[in-house]
């Protein structure tokens, strides 16, 4: 592809002018969007997928000694020890009846600096967020469409793992490598799993392995691999009533669309317009190995981000049970 100069890059207003939208579908005050597709029926049905009792947790370590992969411009979390046994070496250490000592610490972290749910209002264009909310409602904190309603609701349903790295016969997908919904369907067919309406999609690229392998060089010419925008892909997500897109990359889609030069198109087409919840930076490695071994790619999935008032996102440790 020849790189487009900024003036040639279309505005999102133009690119997504005729794109499907779920604004208003769940009322004027809705803040959880396509998660409305996951009701009691989906939860009960997903519970029937629990057969072996194997449990997988999908969060990456916060404060990993190897480093925390974050979107450029964000900094990894720092953890500070406040109290530990050395606190009681000091004469002025707090004394408690009975001789209690304890450890306390705190973290300074971007809410999107680890495995996380994005709030539906996390990204926007043209001055409007999910459901048509005014973008000025983000000033100083998210007044609407924050992560809090997602955290209160929780996310439970049938998930399907689509192992795009194995499907393409690669250890990891490459920088800027793209795939479409047709590729997802072909991957599902090869894995022998049916994609159903209202499925939570877990997509594995194993791209973040390169963060651990390459160090700082990982960020040179930063362009993650991932799904690429097309009107057909967006319509497929709308028709399939996908509630939640979960991937193991930092931003869930190819960073810059090779066809038009626009950044994070699907954040807008899927999250802002359709209200699909985005879960990013998950660790799908142990789960993917297990699925490759037992051939079972349909899963019970449960997750709830932290209840952060006015947060644009929040860490989460999703749980998958087989
Ligand atoms: C951006 O939208 C910039 O980041 P995230 O990958 O956290 O959604």
């Amino acid at each position: 592809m020849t790189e487009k100069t900024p003036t040639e890059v279309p505005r999102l207003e133009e690119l997504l002018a005729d794109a499907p939208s779920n604004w208003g579908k769940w009322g004027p005050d809705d803040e959880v969007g396509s998660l409305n597709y996951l009701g009691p029926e989906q939860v009960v049905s997903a519970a029937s997928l629990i057969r072996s009792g194997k449990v997988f947790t999908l969060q990456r370590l916060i404060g990993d000694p190897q480093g925390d992969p974050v979107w450029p411009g964000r900094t990894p979390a720092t953890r500070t020890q406040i109290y530990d046994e050395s606190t009681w070496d000091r004469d002025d250490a707090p004394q408690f009846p009975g001789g209690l000592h304890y450890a306390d610490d705190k973290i300074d972290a971007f809410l999107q600096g680890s495995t996380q749910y994005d709030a539906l209002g996390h990204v926007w264009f043209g001055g409007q967020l999910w459901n048509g909310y005014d973008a000025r409602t983000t000033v100083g904190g998210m007044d609407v469409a924050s992560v809090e309603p997602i955290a209160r609701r929780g996310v439970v349903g049938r998930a399907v793992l689509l192992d795009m790295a194995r499907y393409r016969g690669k250890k990891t997908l490459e920088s800027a490598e793209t795939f479409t919904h047709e590729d997802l369907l072909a991957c599902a067919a090869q894995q022998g799993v049916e994609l159903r309406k209202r499925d939570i999609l877990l997509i594995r690229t194993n791209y973040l392995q390169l963060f651990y392998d390459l160090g700082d060089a990982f960020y040179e010419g930063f362009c993650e691999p991932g799904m690429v925008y097309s009107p057909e892909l967006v319509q497929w997500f709308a028709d399939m009533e996908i509630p939640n897109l979960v991937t193991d990359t930092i931003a869930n889609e190819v960073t810059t669309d090779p066809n038009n030069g626009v950044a994070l198109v699907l954040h807008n087409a899927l999250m802002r317009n359709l209200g699909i919840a985005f879960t990013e930076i998950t660790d799908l490695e142990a789960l993917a190995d297990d699925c490759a071994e037992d051939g079972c790619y349909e899963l019970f999935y449960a997750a709830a981000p932290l209840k952060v008032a006015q947060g644009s996102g929040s860490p989460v440790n999703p749980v998958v049970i087989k």
Side-chain angles (χ1 to χ4, degrees):
M1 180 206 80
T2 44
E3 223 163 87
K4 291 190 188 293
T5 56
T7 48
E8 290 174 305
V9 173
R11 306 275 310 166
L12 282 158
E13 288 89 333
E14 192 189 322
L15 188 67
L16 301 180
D18 302 319
S21 163
N22 283 334
W23 290 8
K25 182 167 186 161
W26 295 284
D29 301 324
D30 180 78
E31 297 178 283
V32 297
S34 290
L35 293 178
N36 283 295
Y37 289 133
L38 296 176
E41 195 189 319
Q42 284 71 31
V43 175
V44 170
S45 158
S48 70
L49 299 172
I50 300 178
R51 294 166 190 135
S52 68
K54 281 190 264 186
V55 176
F56 300 86
T57 58
L58 307 186
Q59 192 204 342
R60 289 198 173 271
L61 195 59
I62 292 177
D64 190 331
Q66 301 179 86
D68 294 355
V70 289
W71 177 259
R74 292 183 188 143
T75 46
T78 51
R79 195 191 61 80
T80 310
Q81 198 69 35
I82 307 298
Y83 293 122
D84 56 30
E85 178 60 8
S86 71
T87 306
W88 280 271
D89 295 341
R90 298 194 328 245
D91 291 339
D92 65 347
Q95 300 300 327
F96 296 92
L100 170 80
H101 291 185
Y102 58 92
D104 258 11
D105 45 10
K106 63 178 183 179
I107 56 170
D108 180 19
F110 270 83
L111 288 170
Q112 264 104 354
S114 178
T115 310
Q116 105 254 187
Y117 268 81
D118 283 342
L120 288 189
H122 169 53
V123 294
W124 64 89
F125 64 87
Q128 283 180 295
L129 319 176
W130 158 248
N131 222 25
Y133 298 125
D134 190 323
R136 303 302 299 180
T137 57
T138 65
V139 175
M142 315 280 302
D143 291 339
V144 285
S146 78
V147 77
E148 192 191 329
I150 295 178
R152 290 193 183 283
R153 182 184 179 91
V155 183
V156 179
R158 176 186 192 256
V160 169
L161 175 72
L162 296 163
D163 191 340
M164 287 302 296
R166 273 191 177 80
Y167 172 66
R168 293 225 164 136
K170 293 177 174 180
K171 194 168 159 240
T172 78
L173 294 197
E174 290 152 38
S175 292
E177 183 170 346
T178 60
F179 50 90
T180 67
H181 63 295
E182 302 284 357
D183 295 314
L184 297 182
L185 288 164
C187 174
Q190 192 192 67
Q191 292 176 178
V193 64
E194 184 195 355
L195 280 177
R196 299 188 192 145
K197 267 191 161 185
R198 305 194 176 190
D199 276 347
I200 296 164
L201 300 186
L202 312 187
I203 302 179
R204 173 180 178 263
T205 68
N206 196 26
Y207 182 67
L208 292 182
Q209 184 56 46
L210 297 179
F211 168 84
Y212 303 107
D213 293 347
L214 300 176
D216 289 347
F218 172 77
Y219 287 105
E220 283 167 20
F222 181 77
C223 189
E224 291 195 296
M227 272 190 308
V228 63
Y229 166 76
S230 70
E232 295 76 19
L233 178 139
V234 178
Q235 194 58 54
W236 182 80
F237 270 80
D239 294 344
M240 289 293 287
E241 302 181 343
I242 302 297
N244 190 181
L245 174 65
V246 180
T247 86
D248 60 358
T249 64
I250 296 171
N252 271 11
E253 60 176 303
V254 66
T255 310
T256 308
D257 188 320
N259 301 314
N260 51 45
V262 179
L264 301 188
V265 181
L266 294 179
H267 271 63
N268 289 289
L270 301 184
M271 188 201 297
R272 174 193 180 268
N273 289 356
L274 294 181
I276 296 176
F278 271 32
T279 313
E280 296 160 328
I281 322 186
T282 59
D283 181 351
L284 299 175
E285 291 314 290
L287 176 63
D289 286 347
D290 194 78
C291 293
E293 205 173 297
D294 70 6
C296 176
Y297 287 86
E298 58 171 359
L299 311 158
F300 174 87
Y301 174 98
L306 303 179
K307 295 173 184 172
V308 180
Q310 295 193 292
S312 60
S314 162
V316 67
N317 187 7
V319 176
V320 161
I321 309 177
K322 280 189 164 184

